Amino acid sequence: MHLVMKRFGIFELLFSLALLTAGGCYYDVEEELYPSEECDTNNVTFSGDISPAIQSNCLVCHSNAARLGNITLEGYDNLKAQVNNGSLLGAIKHQPGFAPMPDGLPQLDACLIARIEQWITDGAPNN
Ligand code: HEC
C-alpha cells in the first residue's frame, strides 16, 4: 500500500508539471496566432483607447518635450501625422523599414495593436 501511494504521488507530480508547462506554451502560442478570437476591436475611440495607450507606452519618449527621433505623438494632430505617413503602424507592428516601437521594450500587446489598427482602418477619427 505504501509503495502504491508513493508511486502515485510521483506520477501525479510529474503529470501536473507537464500539464502546467504545456498549458503555458499553448496559451502563449494561441494568443500570438489568433489575437482576434480573444480581442474585441469594436468601438475603439481616440479619447477612450488610443490616447491613453499612447500616453502610457510612448509619450515618455515622444512628448513634445522629449521628442526622441524628432517624433512627437502628443495630441491628436501629431499622432495623426504619423498615422497618415504609415510610420505609426509600421513601428508598432515591427514591419521592415520602420524602427520597432516601443524602442528597446517588448512589443505592445497583440490585442492593443489590433485595436489601434482597427481605429486606423476606420479613418483614425478624433472621437
Ligand atoms: C524609450 C524611448 C521610446 C519609446 C518608449 C518609444 N519610442 Fe518611438 N522612437 C524612439 C526613438 C529613439 C526613435 C528614433 C529611432 C530611429 O530613428 O532609429 C523613435 C522613432 C519612432 C517612430 C518613427 C519610426 C520610423 O521608422 O520612422 C515612430 C512612428 C515611433 N517612434 C512611434 C512610437 C510609438 C507609437 C511608441 C509607443 C508604442 C513609441 N514610439 C515608443 C524612442 C522611443
Side-chain angles (χ1 to χ4, degrees):
M1 184 58 189
H2 180 237
L3 186 62
V4 171
M5 289 288 288
K6 194 174 170 191
R7 279 180 165 217
F8 178 74
I10 289 167
F11 177 73
E12 191 185 44
L13 178 69
L14 289 177
F15 185 66
S16 308
L17 279 176
L19 263 188
L20 274 177
T21 313
C25 289
Y26 180 69
Y27 181 73
D28 285 352
V29 169
E30 186 186 41
E31 191 177 38
E32 205 164 296
L33 286 179
Y34 307 110
S36 54
E37 282 187 9
E38 304 167 1
C39 181
D40 183 1
T41 55
N42 292 312
N43 306 317
V44 181
T45 62
F46 175 72
S47 57
D49 305 277
I50 305 300
S51 180
I54 296 296
Q55 170 108 34
S56 53
N57 292 293
C58 317
L59 288 200
V60 60
C61 298
H62 294 296
S63 66
N64 287 337
R67 224 186 166 90
L68 290 194
N70 203 28
I71 303 263
T72 170
L73 303 175
E74 192 171 334
Y76 176 81
D77 290 343
N78 288 322
L79 185 66
K80 186 74 190 295
Q82 300 305 318
V83 168
N84 289 348
N85 70 22
S87 298
L88 188 92
L89 206 53
I92 63 172
K93 291 186 78 172
H94 294 189
Q95 286 170 348
F98 297 94
M101 292 292 133
D103 193 41
L105 294 165
Q107 189 171 20
L108 294 181
D109 174 74
C111 183
L112 179 56
I113 294 175
R115 287 168 64 78
I116 294 172
E117 190 165 14
Q118 185 60 54
W119 174 73
I120 292 173
T121 302
D122 291 342
N126 185 3
N127 55 0

